Amino acid sequence: MGENLQVVASANPPEPVPATRTGGRNVVWVFAIAFVLAVLAILAPTRMLSLGMASAALTLFMLGSLVWLRHRKFTRKRSSDLDVIEGFIALDATPSFVANSDGQIRTVNPAAQTQFDTKAHQTLTGLLKTSFANPGSIIYRLQSRAVATGAAQEDIFTRTGHQRLCVHAVAEDSFVWRVEQIAERTTPRAAQEGQHLPMIMVGRTDAILFMNDAARSLIGSRVKSLDRMFTKLPIVPGTTTDVSTPEGPCSVLVAEVLAGAGRRAMYLLPAPKQSLNVQGWQAFEDLPVPLIKVAPDGNVQSFNKMAAIMIGVSLKQDTHLSQLMEGLGRSITDWITETLDGRLVQKTEFLRLKRTDKEVFVQVVLNRIVEAGRPALIAVLHDATELKTLEAQFVQSQKMQAIGQLAGGVAHDFNNLLTAISGHCDLLLLRHDQSDPDYGDLVQINQNANRAASLVGQLLAFSRKQTLRLESIDMRDTLADLTHLLNRLVGEKITLTLSHDPVLKPVRADKRQLEQVLMNLVVNARDAMPAGGEIKVITEYLSLSKPLERDSVTVPAGEYVTVQVSDDGTGIGPDKLQKVFEPFFTTKPTGEGTGLGLSTAYGIIKQSSGFIFVDSILGQGTTFILYLPVYETKPIKSPRVVEVKPTGPKHVEEGVILLVEDEAPVRAFASRALRLRGYTVLEAESAEVALKTLEDQSLNIDVFVTDVVMPGMDGPSWVREALKQRPDVRVVFVSGYAEDSFGEEQTRIPNSVFLPKPFSLNDLTETVQNQLH
């Protein structure tokens, strides 16, 4: 009896009745009904009824004749097809059968008669019982797939060998089955066969796919699974475990290397506390596992080729391990001492190699050995760069998200404070003219409040939550306007060179914010060349036919305008290059940089749907490149953001304003500003108080001025509720957050505009006036 690795315990469901069989039965029934109708027509008492039954009988007889002719034609064709198939399989050297959907065997070829007892079994299930366990489940599974797709096959491992069962649906209710015997391939002798160190190749399911000569010699035979070889599972790479040998359990040190496709190569090294002779260590030289032998004082005694490739030219004999790697959180000497004393709790450590050309992380396992009666250590290394890079990217994304949320919240609170400061300053300026001694102080307060608002804007840019005033921009005109200012910024020692592509297309961005990005990049380039040099600003038109992938980012295909800012300064080291866009990270000395410049630039470019990359070579220079998508000149509905217009002579307005603001200083300033313009102002400290006020139907409100984010019900929610009873009231939303944070909510509220904080007295009154008129 064979043994099938996949056993299905369910019973076979009934097969549907073939169309050929049902076709024959239908013909018989039609003729029978026609005959009955003909007899009833003869016996009918009236002539009219007799003629009707006779007509029906004749019609059914003709229909039955047509069906019978069609069925007979189909049966002949099917019989002819089966004759061709039977003639074909008769010459096949593989055992083949023709069976119906019920598994009844119709034809067997000579090869099948030789291999199987076809006279004793008339069904496919009975015939295959001698080869497979539970053949009914296998036959049903394959036949169902063949009905759906036309053919199916399955490889089955049995005690007698590896067999393949194939089925083809060749005609209705007919299937051709083939049973192929697959010879076991003789594994070619690989390079590992000649190695002195035992090596095995293990699959996903812990099946042993390959053993070299040394491994077979150690174990005594060819085994097929890890549980037949090791006395204890699971196997932890870099640790000591026992293997079963003809002489009894033997301790080995397991080193593991990923071999792709879910396979692992395991090398069985001499176990710790065993003598390691010179010949044994020489056997490690060609292993594909980085190995280092370390003395008790931490100096490198010897290493193999893979370790030299991984660590680089700094790996030499008598070099201390601390000069090669770092990142334990404690000294390398303490780590080595703990390992030698057997006090090491954590077997595996992740360290960073001290390479200057690239960043490499390694997973290191230290194991104690005894050589010539003296202790030593074997360090087994695994490349963990990809793992640590993914971990770092995840941590970085979480950190950037958290800092972005913090920056947005801080900016919101600061905007409320700045609104109150600048607003009350505007109120004071209304009562003082230029001849007043306090006028200059008030102007200074106002200017510094505006500078603080600009700093808050940087925080919002980093968190990508500031409101952008997008417009179509020609980069040549923008840089031409900036040239005079940039030349003053770089000084006399540095030459600023601008080069433009003659076929530049417009981009869509906030001009003021984009100018800030360009100035920041030029200033950074200047600071990187204290002895002078040249800064090149190059604009080009670029059409990407396929997506561009770099720095773990994919730039979609399309048209772009690129801006390159290059210098020939000191450059940025590879270890710092991937951190330049992080907030508060700076390469400048303490007190000379905030670390917000490039992170702000990153936020502005990202919010403009663009990309920013950096390339740098230490000692040669740095290049920043911006990718800005080309703006298609077609009407695009932009968000309504209030533009402050020059104010004319003040005049008194009329109207009733409902002001809803939870911050008392902001509410006090806004109320006084609107009353000074002549409006009647009703104040509410929350949305709930505002709705309570609106219950008085005699109140005629012209404009709602409301904060967006408030405790309890937010601005858009209470406004939608209020507009159900007062649909004609216009709305002014004010917020310290960006408009994008509730843009979709605003678009569903008619006659509404957005006024970002901090706003001045003129900003507020002009916005309300525009809404009224």
Side-chain angles (χ1 to χ4, degrees):
M1 179 68 66
E3 178 181 85
N4 180 17
L5 295 183
Q6 297 180 346
V7 179
V8 180
S10 61
N12 293 348
E15 291 284 347
V17 179
T20 54
R21 208 176 303 168
T22 56
R25 293 174 184 174
N26 291 338
V27 172
V28 174
W29 276 107
V30 170
F31 280 128
I33 294 172
F35 177 76
V36 172
L37 288 175
V39 172
L40 292 176
I42 295 173
L43 301 177
T46 63
R47 179 175 178 80
M48 184 64 67
L49 183 59
S50 175
L51 287 174
M53 289 186 176
S55 176
L58 181 60
T59 302
L60 285 177
F61 179 77
M62 295 177 65
L63 179 62
S65 299
L66 290 174
V67 173
W68 178 78
L69 290 173
R70 181 177 177 276
H71 174 66
R72 185 173 181 182
K73 181 180 179 182
F74 177 80
T75 304
R76 287 180 178 177
K77 183 179 183 303
R78 178 171 167 272
S79 177
S80 176
D81 292 342
L82 288 177
D83 290 342
V84 173
I85 292 170
E86 290 170 359
F88 176 78
I89 67 172
L91 303 176
D92 195 350
T94 301
S96 303
F97 315 87
V98 177
N100 62 11
S101 57
D102 293 332
Q104 295 290 331
I105 298 176
R106 295 175 177 172
T107 306
V108 296
N109 69 348
Q113 292 175 354
T114 302
Q115 184 170 337
F116 298 95
D117 188 4
T118 56
K119 294 182 180 179
H121 301 284
Q122 299 299 319
T123 64
L124 202 59
T125 302
L127 201 65
L128 297 179
K129 277 185 179 179
T130 58
S131 299
F132 308 132
N134 196 15
S137 298
I138 302 173
I139 292 171
Y140 171 70
R141 184 166 60 247
L142 290 175
Q143 186 169 298
S144 299
R145 283 158 49 191
V147 170
T149 62
Q153 69 177 32
E154 191 168 315
D155 289 353
I156 305 160
F157 294 89
T158 69
R159 289 178 181 174
T160 59
H162 179 190
Q163 297 188 7
R164 177 174 296 163
L165 186 60
C166 309
V167 60
H168 296 267
V170 293
E172 190 171 1
D173 194 35
S174 296
F175 299 88
V176 173
W177 296 83
R178 303 175 78 245
V179 183
E180 301 179 21
Q181 188 75 29
I182 300 178
E184 295 292 339
R185 288 191 306 169
T186 302
T187 305
R189 294 183 65 85
Q192 292 86 348
E193 289 285 357
Q195 289 181 353
H196 300 291
L197 199 68
M199 189 277 287
I200 61 173
M201 187 70 69
V202 183
R204 287 192 181 93
T205 60
D206 286 347
I208 297 178
L209 308 176
F210 168 76
M211 297 176 66
N212 68 355
D213 291 338
R216 282 195 292 268
S217 176
L218 174 66
I219 305 303
S221 63
R222 170 76 166 87
V223 295
K224 296 186 178 180
S225 60
L226 289 179
D227 57 354
R228 300 283 299 275
M229 180 174 179
F230 292 93
T231 59
K232 186 170 155 185
L233 295 177
I235 306 300
V236 179
T239 60
T240 302
T241 188
D242 291 337
V243 295
S244 301
T245 68
E247 291 77 23
C250 175
S251 296
V252 295
L253 177 66
V254 179
E256 183 178 292
V257 177
L258 298 179
R263 297 175 300 168
R264 319 188 302 276
M266 288 186 175
Y267 293 87
L268 310 182
L269 283 64
K273 301 180 183 178
Q274 292 181 355
S275 177
L276 183 66
N277 55 31
V278 177
Q279 291 78 12
W281 176 253
Q282 291 300 323
F284 294 171
E285 183 65 25
D286 296 325
L287 284 181
V289 183
L291 300 171
I292 303 176
K293 186 167 71 169
V294 184
D297 60 358
N299 289 331
V300 175
Q301 290 184 338
S302 54
F303 51 88
N304 67 354
K305 293 179 181 177
M306 289 300 295
I309 294 173
M310 175 179 285
I311 297 180
V313 295
S314 58
L315 179 58
K316 300 176 182 177
Q317 289 188 2
D318 297 328
T319 301
H320 197 271
L321 211 58
S322 61
Q323 298 176 353
L324 304 175
M325 52 192 72
E326 62 183 355
L328 269 177
R330 63 184 190 277
S331 68
I332 297 286
T333 303
D334 291 344
W335 181 37
I336 292 173
T337 303
E338 290 177 5
T339 305
L340 290 171
D341 295 342
R343 295 184 286 109
L344 192 64
V345 177
Q346 185 174 341
K347 294 287 186 181
T348 301
E349 294 286 355
F350 287 92
L351 303 175
R352 178 181 176 274
L353 297 182
K354 292 183 176 180
R355 294 188 61 154
T356 57
D357 55 341
K358 61 180 179 179
E359 194 169 46
V360 179
F361 290 91
V362 292
Q363 180 185 12
V364 185
V365 181
L366 280 183
N367 292 278
R368 185 177 183 274
I369 64 171
V370 177
E371 183 179 16
R374 290 183 295 179
L377 294 170
I378 295 292
V380 183
L381 283 66
H382 299 272
D383 191 343
T385 305
E386 184 176 358
L387 173 65
K388 297 299 288 185
T389 300
L390 291 174
E391 179 185 341
Q393 289 175 354
F394 175 75
V395 172
Q396 174 68 7
S397 67
Q398 295 293 99
K399 181 173 68 176
M400 295 289 278
Q401 181 181 3
I403 295 178
Q405 291 174 349
L406 175 64
V410 169
H412 171 260
D413 293 339
F414 266 97
N415 278 331
N416 279 326
L417 295 174
L418 292 172
T419 302
I421 293 171
S422 62
H424 284 93
C425 185
D426 287 343
L427 292 174
L428 287 172
L429 285 171
L430 291 177
R431 301 199 300 269
H432 295 74
D433 56 22
Q434 296 185 8
S435 61
D436 195 300
D438 296 331
Y439 185 82
D441 296 334
L442 293 173
V443 170
Q444 284 294 323
I445 294 173
N446 192 286
Q447 290 177 349
N448 282 281
N450 291 333
R451 289 182 60 191
S454 177
L455 179 60
V456 173
Q458 284 192 334
L459 287 175
L460 285 171
F462 159 66
S463 63
R464 296 186 232 167
K465 291 181 179 178
Q466 91 274 35
T467 298
L468 296 183
R469 301 182 179 182
L470 302 178
E471 58 181 302
S472 179
I473 294 175
D474 189 317
M475 289 304 303
R476 287 171 294 198
D477 297 340
T478 301
L479 287 169
D481 295 341
L482 276 178
T483 300
H484 180 67
L485 177 59
L486 294 177
N487 280 319
R488 291 181 59 187
L489 285 173
V490 299
E492 298 178 355
K493 293 182 179 180
I494 295 175
T495 303
L496 180 66
T497 304
L498 276 71
S499 175
H500 298 301
D501 192 323
V503 291
L504 279 186
K505 294 186 177 182
V507 298
R508 193 164 189 255
D510 186 315
K511 185 176 180 179
R512 180 176 59 86
Q513 300 281 9
L514 187 58
E515 288 175 348
Q516 178 184 343
V517 172
L518 295 172
M519 284 191 293
N520 181 270
L521 296 179
V522 170
V523 169
N524 285 344
R526 177 202 66 188
D527 294 342
M529 297 184 295
E534 182 182 13
I535 300 176
K536 296 180 181 179
V537 180
I538 303 173
T539 61
E540 290 182 347
Y541 166 74
L542 178 65
S543 178
L544 295 178
S545 58
K546 58 182 181 180
L548 171 66
E549 295 185 3
R550 61 168 294 178
D551 300 346
S552 304
V553 176
T554 301
V555 181
E559 296 181 302
Y560 294 88
V561 170
T562 64
V563 183
Q564 296 183 44
V565 180
S566 305
D567 63 70
D568 50 8
T570 56
I572 305 172
D575 55 333
K576 299 176 181 178
L577 194 61
Q578 55 188 342
K579 301 178 183 178
V580 295
F581 295 118
E582 293 183 12
F584 311 113
F585 176 82
T586 178
T587 58
K588 299 178 182 178
T590 304
E592 295 187 15
T594 63
L596 275 177
L598 286 177
S599 62
T600 299
Y602 180 86
I604 292 172
I605 296 301
K606 278 295 182 183
Q607 196 174 5
S608 303
S609 302
F611 301 86
I612 181 170
F613 302 107
V614 57
D615 297 306
S616 184
I617 300 176
L618 203 60
Q620 297 186 24
T622 304
T623 299
F624 284 88
I625 180 169
L626 311 179
Y627 286 79
L628 297 170
V630 168
Y631 174 50
E632 298 291 340
T633 53
K634 58 183 179 182
I636 295 180
K637 184 180 178 181
S638 58
R640 291 188 63 191
V641 178
V642 175
E643 294 285 348
V644 180
K645 301 178 180 179
T647 58
K650 304 289 189 300
H651 58 277
V652 177
E653 295 284 347
E654 293 183 356
V656 180
I657 312 298
L658 177 57
L659 174 63
V660 186
E661 171 62 63
D662 62 305
E663 291 284 341
V666 178
R667 187 171 67 250
F669 150 65
S671 176
R672 288 184 58 189
L674 292 171
R675 286 193 178 105
L676 284 174
R677 183 57 69 91
Y679 297 112
T680 301
V681 181
L682 304 177
E683 299 182 32
E685 61 184 11
S686 67
E688 290 76 10
V689 174
L691 291 174
K692 188 72 175 177
T693 303
L694 292 175
E695 290 179 0
D696 185 355
Q697 298 296 327
S698 63
L699 287 176
N700 184 22
I701 308 296
D702 297 305
V703 178
F704 295 147
V705 178
T706 176
D707 195 5
V708 175
V709 180
M710 296 181 292
M713 187 179 293
D714 61 15
S717 298
W718 84 261
V719 168
R720 281 196 299 270
E721 188 68 24
L723 290 179
K724 294 178 181 178
Q725 302 298 326
R726 302 170 184 264
D728 297 329
V729 179
R730 295 179 174 270
V731 185
V732 176
F733 287 112
V734 296
S735 177
Y737 289 110
E739 184 183 19
D740 294 342
S741 61
F742 72 106
E744 293 185 4
E745 296 288 339
Q746 182 193 345
T747 57
R748 292 197 288 267
I749 297 177
N751 301 321
S752 64
V753 295
F754 176 71
L755 178 63
K757 294 179 182 179
F759 51 79
S760 66
L761 184 149
N762 288 334
D763 294 343
L764 178 61
T765 55
E766 290 291 337
T767 303
V768 172
Q769 180 183 354
N770 291 337
Q771 282 293 82
L772 281 172
H773 300 288

mmCIF file of all heavy atoms in Angstrom, residues 686-688 710-715 717:
data_model
loop_
_atom_site.group_PDB
_atom_site.id
_atom_site.type_symbol
_atom_site.label_atom_id
_atom_site.label_comp_id
_atom_site.label_asym_id
_atom_site.label_seq_id
_atom_site.Cartn_x
_atom_site.Cartn_y
_atom_site.Cartn_z
ATOM 1 N N SER A 686 -18.343 78.905 22.989
ATOM 2 C CA SER A 686 -18.363 77.517 22.516
ATOM 3 C C SER A 686 -19.475 77.349 21.507
ATOM 4 O O SER A 686 -20.368 78.219 21.379
ATOM 5 C CB SER A 686 -18.559 76.539 23.683
ATOM 6 O OG SER A 686 -19.846 76.701 24.242
ATOM 7 N N ALA A 687 -19.451 76.224 20.805
ATOM 8 C CA ALA A 687 -20.488 75.944 19.803
ATOM 9 C C ALA A 687 -21.845 75.755 20.471
ATOM 10 O O ALA A 687 -22.878 76.169 19.928
ATOM 11 C CB ALA A 687 -20.095 74.694 19.010
ATOM 12 N N GLU A 688 -21.846 75.147 21.653
ATOM 13 C CA GLU A 688 -23.122 74.911 22.342
ATOM 14 C C GLU A 688 -23.786 76.231 22.740
ATOM 15 O O GLU A 688 -25.005 76.397 22.605
ATOM 16 C CB GLU A 688 -22.872 74.040 23.579
ATOM 17 C CG GLU A 688 -22.493 72.595 23.288
ATOM 18 C CD GLU A 688 -21.061 72.415 22.832
ATOM 19 O OE1 GLU A 688 -20.281 73.397 22.924
ATOM 20 O OE2 GLU A 688 -20.701 71.315 22.379
ATOM 21 N N MET A 710 -12.510 73.493 18.574
ATOM 22 C CA MET A 710 -12.940 73.955 19.894
ATOM 23 C C MET A 710 -13.298 72.747 20.745
ATOM 24 O O MET A 710 -13.623 71.677 20.212
ATOM 25 C CB MET A 710 -14.157 74.873 19.762
ATOM 26 C CG MET A 710 -13.903 76.165 19.004
ATOM 27 S SD MET A 710 -15.377 77.214 18.928
ATOM 28 C CE MET A 710 -16.433 76.226 17.854
ATOM 29 N N PRO A 711 -13.250 72.891 22.066
ATOM 30 C CA PRO A 711 -13.718 71.798 22.920
ATOM 31 C C PRO A 711 -15.198 71.503 22.656
ATOM 32 O O PRO A 711 -15.985 72.408 22.395
ATOM 33 C CB PRO A 711 -13.494 72.342 24.343
ATOM 34 C CG PRO A 711 -12.488 73.435 24.197
ATOM 35 C CD PRO A 711 -12.710 74.017 22.839
ATOM 36 N N GLY A 712 -15.559 70.243 22.712
ATOM 37 C CA GLY A 712 -16.940 69.879 22.417
ATOM 38 C C GLY A 712 -17.178 69.848 20.928
ATOM 39 O O GLY A 712 -16.389 69.304 20.145
ATOM 40 N N MET A 713 -18.273 70.465 20.471
ATOM 41 C CA MET A 713 -18.607 70.492 19.048
ATOM 42 C C MET A 713 -17.675 71.441 18.313
ATOM 43 O O MET A 713 -17.405 72.553 18.776
ATOM 44 C CB MET A 713 -20.076 70.925 18.883
ATOM 45 C CG MET A 713 -20.595 70.835 17.453
ATOM 46 S SD MET A 713 -22.328 71.332 17.318
ATOM 47 C CE MET A 713 -23.139 70.031 18.210
ATOM 48 N N ASP A 714 -17.144 70.998 17.147
ATOM 49 C CA ASP A 714 -16.224 71.852 16.397
ATOM 50 C C ASP A 714 -16.996 72.823 15.509
ATOM 51 O O ASP A 714 -18.228 72.778 15.415
ATOM 52 C CB ASP A 714 -15.251 71.015 15.567
ATOM 53 C CG ASP A 714 -15.950 70.146 14.542
ATOM 54 O OD1 ASP A 714 -17.140 70.375 14.271
ATOM 55 O OD2 ASP A 714 -15.304 69.218 14.008
ATOM 56 N N GLY A 715 -16.235 73.732 14.869
ATOM 57 C CA GLY A 715 -16.853 74.779 14.065
ATOM 58 C C GLY A 715 -17.748 74.289 12.940
ATOM 59 O O GLY A 715 -18.928 74.663 12.859
ATOM 60 N N SER A 717 -19.248 71.527 12.485
ATOM 61 C CA SER A 717 -20.415 70.764 12.947
ATOM 62 C C SER A 717 -21.534 71.690 13.402
ATOM 63 O O SER A 717 -22.706 71.516 13.016
ATOM 64 C CB SER A 717 -20.011 69.832 14.092
ATOM 65 O OG SER A 717 -19.047 68.899 13.670
#
